[in-house]
Amino acid sequence: VPAINPERLLGDLYALRKIGTYKTGVHRPTFSPDDLVSRQWLVERMTEAGLGAQIDGIGNVFGRSRASGPIMLAGSHIESQNHAGWLDGALGVIFALEAARALRDDPSTRDLGIDVIAFCDEEGHYGSYLGSRSFIGDVGEDEIDRARDRTHGKMMRDALREAGYAGRPRLTMDPSRYRGYFEAHIEQGRRLELGKLKIGGVTAIVGLWDYRIIAVGHQNHAGTTMMFERKDAGMAMVRLVAAIDRRFKEIAGPRSVWTCGRMEFDPGGPSIIPGEARALFQFRDDDLAVLTRLDSALHELIAEANREGPCEVRVEVIRKSQPAIMNEGFLQALERAAAQHVPGLAVRMPSGAGHDAQHVARKIPSVMMFVPSINGISHHWSEDTSDEDIVLGARVFTDAIAGVLRSA
Ligand SMILES: [Zn+2]
């Protein structure tokens, strides 16, 4: 069994935390100066680990194994949300790196290899999973042409040129090279912590369906327009969203979540009946049948609102991502490894958050493994996981990969 080196593992995570430190977390948005430093730092760590390391034309950092035997792809991302935590993404990349080193260091596993990857922009500063989607061949040049940073508006082309990555080829995966893909991540929720558990084997990454709802009425004076003659788009929207919430409670699956993340009225004054209202509405589930059921209910309720009037309501789909089912054999490998290191402390669970693995899973068998998040906090600088849980997680992760590759 290959042994990870806890000091080396934690040392790398601490070193990465020092690049772009913000309070106890990091501020390393994609292609920021600190992000570029961290990518170069990772290339050096990969090279030291004996991997053939490079940064490609979209900023993916890739370390190719020179092992002669079966190969696993593993990784995550190293940029952060703005002013966010030190482990979201970084943990999965360093776990993959440490697993690659552990396999190389042990004579019994030296023939087994791990290609380590840090996918660029998982956090969506410029687009939607551009790095992992590029790696599976799902991003055209036109999408990169259009991509711009959501905080400061810089075009991705300009950022790539300034980084020195422009003109480099974009790497695309050769699926036949891999047994599959493993990604470790912090849970970003409280299920493991509340259950005093140590390892989450992810069964599926939820599908996420996003909508923009628009109600059109008639803008008028709030004092002189009688109630019977109003076309109040604001009230129409409030009634509709309340009805959706009531219906969803009746028909949702046990893990469904739904959110109205934004509602705005136009023109938005205290003495003006809103002429238009817009809302962003989203739901997530790991079961396509449930997603489809919620989608139908949403459309039925909008049709009902239009029949009743007096406002006109329409809905636009912003995106519909499919749930990604994780590989059963890989889940069992994680469970076998967990049974060795933390007997009885592993659980299966879906991921409510999106991850690069949902795209990689379209091409090769994939799995994710969660470690506990203290207080379930993430996308905030106070995000944390104990050193003990980090080391335990890396042991389980490495053993599981070795187990899969050895049985290949
Ligand atoms: Zn992440």
Side-chain angles (χ1 to χ4, degrees), residues 76-77 79 87-90 122-123 183-186 188 354-356 368 378-379:
S76 193
H77 59 96
E79 81 281 333
L87 292 169
D88 181 351
E122 191 272 349
E123 295 293 6
E183 179 170 353
H185 208 277
I186 52 168
Q188 307 179 282
H355 294 285
D356 290 311
M368 289 193 73
S378 185
H379 286 188

Side-chain angles (χ1 to χ4, degrees), residues 323-335:
I325 307 302
M326 300 287 100
N327 181 269
E328 173 63 27
F330 291 1
L331 271 169
Q332 289 174 12
L334 283 171
E335 285 167 341

Side-chain angles (χ1 to χ4, degrees), residues 244-264:
I244 294 170
D245 185 52
R246 270 195 307 277
R247 178 74 61 84
F248 276 25
K249 278 176 188 147
E250 294 161 12
I251 63 168
R255 290 173 300 275
S256 306
V257 289
W258 57 94
T259 306
C260 180
R262 185 185 183 106
M263 206 184 276
E264 52 189 8

Side-chain angles (χ1 to χ4, degrees), residues 70-275:
I71 306 289
M72 190 69 77
L73 180 68
S76 193
H77 59 96
I78 53 170
E79 81 281 333
S80 73
Q81 289 281 352
N82 294 329
H83 308 107
W86 68 297
L87 292 169
D88 181 351
L91 177 119
V93 172
I94 302 304
F95 272 27
L97 178 65
E98 181 56 27
R101 293 186 294 219
L103 294 191
R104 178 204 59 181
D105 292 348
D106 189 318
S108 76
T109 53
R110 193 157 292 160
D111 61 313
L112 309 177
I114 297 175
D115 285 358
V116 180
I117 192 156
F119 292 114
C120 191
D121 203 37
E122 191 272 349
E123 295 293 6
H125 292 277
Y126 284 87
S128 177
Y129 302 97
L130 284 167
S132 50
R133 286 177 43 235
S134 170
F135 195 66
I136 63 165
D138 187 35
V139 174
E141 295 297 316
D142 55 323
E143 188 171 353
I144 301 176
D145 291 341
R146 289 193 307 271
R148 83 170 52 230
D149 183 280
R150 63 176 145 85
T151 305
H152 49 65
K154 184 184 280 188
M155 300 303 295
M156 190 173 200
R157 289 289 182 202
D158 294 334
L160 285 167
R161 199 185 58 248
E162 288 164 24
Y165 304 156
R168 297 185 191 184
R170 284 193 280 137
L171 297 171
T172 45
M173 170 166 54
D174 169 13
S176 68
R177 176 172 167 81
Y178 300 112
R179 286 282 292 151
Y181 175 65
F182 270 65
E183 179 170 353
H185 208 277
I186 52 168
E187 183 198 344
Q188 307 179 282
R190 296 195 72 195
R191 175 127 181 237
L192 293 175
E193 185 181 75
L194 290 173
K196 298 192 163 41
L197 299 163
K198 296 298 183 189
I199 299 291
V202 176
T203 51
I205 299 168
V206 298
L208 186 164
W209 292 16
D210 255 340
Y211 304 83
R212 180 180 295 106
I213 306 174
I214 299 136
V216 179
H218 193 256
Q219 182 183 326
N220 212 333
H221 194 292
T224 59
T225 314
M226 306 292 282
M227 296 309 287
F228 75 88
E229 58 182 343
R230 290 185 183 207
K231 288 186 175 179
D232 184 335
M235 285 298 184
M237 184 65 80
V238 169
R239 276 197 301 274
L240 174 65
V241 171
I244 294 170
D245 185 52
R246 270 195 307 277
R247 178 74 61 84
F248 276 25
K249 278 176 188 147
E250 294 161 12
I251 63 168
R255 290 173 300 275
S256 306
V257 289
W258 57 94
T259 306
C260 180
R262 185 185 183 106
M263 206 184 276
E264 52 189 8
F265 295 169
D266 206 34
S271 295
I272 309 170
I273 299 164

